[in-house]
Amino acid sequence: MSSPLKVYNKIDQISMEEVDRLARKPNSVVISCGMKLNLDYLLEMLWEYLALTCIYTKKRGQRPDFTDAIILRKGASVEHVCHRIHLSLASQFKYALVWGTSTKYSPQRVGLTHNMEHEDVIQIVKNATASTCHSPANSSMPWCGAPAPSTVRSGWA
């Protein structure tokens, strides 16, 4: 087990020498909530320490939704993404298109075992026989591979 991450707050109330000493300790982050100092670094360290990764979804013919990410542990596969979206999605899975650092090409067609990386974008396509995606009632599903009217053409289409 790794050693705990230590966060020292109220660094604005101690000397610079003391701040420097605390910051040099292993697994330490020095912050000041009151003055909003070093909070971005704390957030970065928490993501790294907890081994989290952020995956974005996209509907066919639309741009990715960067406002609502799926948060998973590093090393998560496409199957993990499917289960996070809906428990039955993996059983209806046909393939996925992935954009990002985990692929050689963007987009790249991948299977359930493909490992996702931080800030990858995924579009999941379901089997036509198991899919109810094509009904208008389900057009808001971000994992739906249903065709959407496309007037915008880009690398995300």
Side-chain angles (χ1 to χ4, degrees):
M1 179 168 200
S2 64
S3 59
L5 183 65
K6 298 173 193 132
V7 180
Y8 297 96
N9 190 17
K10 299 188 178 187
I11 60 168
D12 54 310
Q13 297 180 4
I14 59 176
S15 69
M16 285 303 293
E17 292 79 18
E18 185 67 9
V19 170
D20 187 52
R21 187 185 68 76
L22 292 172
R24 291 182 186 278
K25 288 184 172 185
N27 300 316
S28 296
V29 178
V30 293
I31 65 167
S32 171
C33 289
M35 294 185 71
K36 298 183 175 156
L37 296 173
N38 222 17
L39 297 179
D40 288 344
Y41 181 67
L42 172 61
L43 186 59
E44 181 183 318
M45 291 302 296
L46 285 171
W47 274 78
E48 184 179 315
Y49 185 78
L50 296 172
L52 297 176
T53 188
C54 162
I55 309 296
Y56 298 104
T57 59
K58 134 180 205 352
K59 295 179 189 177
R60 183 174 173 185
Q62 296 183 11
R63 292 185 100 26
D65 181 6
F66 292 118
T67 62
D68 190 21
I70 297 171
I71 309 300
L72 297 166
R73 295 282 182 170
K74 283 184 182 172
S77 67
V78 170
E79 186 172 12
H80 292 113
V81 175
C82 289
H83 285 297
R84 182 59 61 93
I85 294 170
H86 194 277
L87 291 176
S88 69
L89 186 57
S91 64
Q92 300 170 359
F93 180 87
K94 185 173 183 181
Y95 64 90
L97 295 173
V98 176
W99 291 257
T101 57
S102 71
T103 61
K104 187 174 180 179
Y105 309 103
S106 282
Q108 184 169 330
R109 186 174 168 159
V110 299
L112 284 171
T113 60
H114 176 78
N115 284 334
M116 304 293 290
E117 290 185 10
H118 186 59
E119 296 185 341
D120 276 355
V121 175
I122 188 169
Q123 176 184 324
I124 298 172
V125 179
K126 294 166 46 172
N127 284 318
T129 56
S131 177
T132 58
C133 273
H134 298 286
S135 71
N138 292 328
S139 63
S140 65
M141 294 182 187
W143 56 88
C144 181
S150 180
T151 55
V152 177
R153 294 282 180 216
S154 70
W156 292 111

